[in-house]
Amino acid sequence: MTLSAKQYDIRDLSLAERGRFRMEWAAKEMPVLALLEKRFKSEQPFKGIRIGAAMHVTTETANLMRILLAGGAEVALAASNPLSTQDDVAAALVSTYEMPVYAIKGESNEQYHEHMQHVLDIKPHITMDDGMDLVATLHTSRSELLENVVGGTEETTTGVIRLKAMAADGALRFPVIAVNDAMTKHFFDNRYGTGQSSIDGIIRATNILLAGKNFVVGGYGWCSKGIAMRAKGMGANVIVTEVDPLRALEAVMDGFRVMPMAAAAKEGHIFCSATGDIHVIDIHHIEVMRDGAILANSGHFDVEINMKALTEKAVKVTRVRDSLDEYMLADGRCVYVAGEGRLVNLAAAEGHPSAVMDMSFANQALSAEYLLQNRGKLQPDVYDVPTDIDNAIAALKLHSMGIEIDTLTAEQQAYLSAWTLGTSQ
Ligand code: ADE
């Protein structure tokens, strides 16, 4: 290996073999990425291109990194959350692919930001972000690097919201593609991915039986919908809280009880919030919860549970399991927080399964290629993934699953484009 110790910051290089085996296992469920890898190897779309990435360092991300390298890119990677790094995967990327990786599970906030700076040191042409911290760092403390940047991609709902606010302020200085908003991303990753992986995280943290429990889901966006659906499937009685009347109505008609958090707080055994907003589970909610209530967050940032107020109110905090802390309140009641209030699916489990990340990351790779193909033509703004990319990924995924679908006949096609054909005479 030719990387010097200064060119990476990871937990332990000796974990590399385990990481490599797990990457290979994940790759088996990522057939769309495998097809892209084949094309990238021959076409080299990223030759001479430096990509700075801040993403969850998982087996799935590692497979994305692998195909970018195969396409000729130079890539540096930092974690997009201090608790989501899989240390064996970080080691595998450094040891097998000589990739500069700066990510350690449990890193401090200071290390987290230092690691972002190291990624920016490669002077990226493309940023690949999950939550927008890399883009924010680039615009604030490293603005001298902006002139090199062709564009960026953003993985998550929270990041896209932040980017749109930045663009509206006139502060965004390069085009960014909202990978999250592709249908082949949020329909599957946010719903089925977050649904399964959040339940997985809560179960790994607690080993609790969901059947018969009151399971409160904060929000009813794509992620929360997935959590509610899967909790129901495990036999829980699901309660949804919302601020949006349309989404609340949808939750009602999907068969869930809907009420304000203040009321749900008294009923819930387990709480999981995925709204993208702050203090959805606040201290006045926690104060009326039953003894033993379990709290989890599945939103991007650790703001949905008011952890600061809970920490101040607690008379004692004890780590009772690997990813579970007991907060004892003055009256002797205890509540339990999974994964330190950070996204529970990555802090306490392994994130979304590879089969959905296959589509999310195909969007990432193809969006990066699209930015290069359109270099100089896109204004600084937030762009959708082009529809033909989205459709192509859906078609490839179906094909890889051995599923065939119908095509429109010429007659059907003509019918859809004719305005004269209404009620038959
Ligand atoms: N976000 C959610 N799950 C993930 C995974 N498995 N890898 C990377 N990012 C993720």
Side-chain angles (χ1 to χ4, degrees):
M1 196 179 71
T2 52
L3 281 187
S4 81
K6 277 195 192 142
Q7 288 171 289
Y8 58 88
D9 190 15
I10 62 169
R11 168 85 55 206
D12 180 358
L13 210 47
S14 75
L15 300 172
E17 190 183 29
R18 179 187 138 97
R20 210 159 42 238
F21 279 129
R22 292 201 318 107
M23 272 178 72
E24 285 167 14
W25 173 253
K28 292 180 199 294
E29 287 266 287
M30 305 184 90
V32 181
L33 282 197
L35 282 172
L36 290 182
E37 180 180 21
K38 218 165 163 188
R39 178 166 71 76
F40 287 175
K41 262 187 186 153
S42 73
E43 293 180 9
Q44 294 289 289
F46 303 117
K47 197 166 168 41
I49 296 298
R50 296 185 296 272
I51 300 179
M55 310 189 84
H56 302 299
V57 181
T58 64
T59 52
E60 291 74 26
T61 300
N63 280 302
L64 169 62
M65 298 297 120
R66 203 169 49 79
I67 74 158
L68 297 173
L69 295 175
E74 185 188 326
V75 192
L77 173 66
S80 57
N81 184 294
L83 265 193
S84 62
T85 298
Q86 297 170 4
D87 290 316
D88 56 344
V89 170
L93 284 171
V94 170
S95 149
T96 313
Y97 299 95
E98 297 192 6
M99 230 187 88
V101 178
Y102 304 91
I104 301 173
K105 185 174 174 101
E107 63 196 14
S108 65
N109 280 358
E110 195 187 349
Q111 266 178 315
Y112 172 82
H113 289 291
E114 254 174 44
H115 287 163
M116 295 262 163
Q117 295 285 352
H118 286 310
V119 163
L120 293 176
D121 288 342
I122 70 161
K123 303 187 172 73
H125 298 108
I126 289 185
T127 60
M128 222 169 241
D129 218 344
D130 188 336
M132 214 209 81
D133 279 350
L134 189 67
V135 168
T137 309
L138 181 53
H139 280 74
T140 49
S141 68
R142 301 295 294 274
S143 58
E144 80 282 3
L145 300 175
L146 282 164
E147 63 184 19
N148 302 312
V149 180
V150 177
T153 60
E154 170 54 52
E155 172 74 8
T156 199
T157 317
T158 295
V160 172
I161 291 170
R162 291 180 77 195
L163 280 163
K164 286 188 174 163
M166 201 174 171
D169 266 356
L172 184 63
R173 298 271 303 278
F174 53 79
V176 181
I177 304 214
V179 165
N180 179 73
D181 294 356
M183 300 292 257
T184 46
K185 200 280 183 180
H186 69 270
F187 252 44
F188 303 96
D189 168 317
N190 299 29
R191 181 168 39 169
Y192 304 114
T194 308
Q196 177 165 325
S197 61
S198 301
I199 299 292
D200 184 14
I202 291 168
I203 291 176
R204 288 198 209 193
T206 61
N207 197 27
I208 195 150
L209 180 74
L210 298 192
K213 298 290 193 317
N214 294 337
F215 192 116
V216 179
V217 180
Y220 206 60
W222 290 108
C223 295
S224 310
K225 275 191 179 85
I227 299 168
M229 175 169 63
R230 294 304 182 231
K232 182 180 178 179
M234 300 281 288
N237 302 307
V238 175
I239 297 170
V240 171
T241 72
E242 245 306 338
V243 293
D244 179 315
L246 261 179
R247 286 181 176 175
L249 194 56
E250 191 183 4
V252 170
M253 298 219 179
D254 283 346
F256 300 119
R257 293 167 70 203
V258 175
M259 62 183 79
M261 184 60 87
K266 295 180 192 150
E267 298 212 20
H269 297 98
I270 304 163
F271 295 78
C272 186
S273 180
T275 67
D277 213 340
I278 191 167
H279 298 171
V280 177
I281 302 175
D282 211 340
I283 194 66
H284 61 276
H285 301 129
I286 295 172
E287 275 165 350
V288 299
M289 283 179 188
R290 70 178 75 223
D291 183 33
I294 292 164
L295 313 184
N297 162 48
S298 216
H300 184 80
F301 288 117
D302 57 342
V303 296
E304 307 218 5
I305 305 170
N306 189 344
M307 291 300 297
K308 184 166 180 284
L310 176 58
T311 307
E312 281 164 11
K313 277 270 172 192
V315 293
K316 195 168 154 215
V317 181
T318 313
R319 173 133 311 178
V320 292
R321 287 171 59 92
D322 281 350
S323 297
L324 195 69
D325 294 315
E326 178 186 78
Y327 287 76
M328 184 182 282
L329 303 172
D331 62 5
R333 278 177 312 121
C334 294
V335 296
Y336 295 84
V337 177
E340 300 177 20
R342 297 192 188 273
L343 19 75
V344 71
N345 58 342
L346 283 141
E350 294 171 63
H352 304 349
S354 327
V356 287
M357 296 314 295
D358 188 28
M359 288 187 280
S360 308
F361 287 165
N363 275 292
Q364 284 285 359
L366 292 175
S367 295
E369 186 183 34
Y370 175 84
L371 283 168
L372 294 170
Q373 286 163 345
N374 290 279
R375 197 175 189 152
K377 294 189 203 147
L378 302 169
Q379 296 307 307
D381 207 343
V382 183
Y383 292 86
D384 283 341
V385 173
T387 312
D388 55 345
I389 290 183
D390 214 354
N391 288 338
I393 291 171
L396 286 174
K397 189 70 180 177
L398 272 177
H399 179 73
S400 76
M401 296 164 91
I403 294 169
E404 292 179 20
I405 59 170
D406 289 323
T407 46
L408 292 174
T409 62
E411 183 192 27
Q412 288 169 330
Q413 220 147 15
Y415 181 84
L416 290 179
S417 52
W419 64 270
T420 49
L421 301 173
T423 306
S424 44
Q425 305 280 343

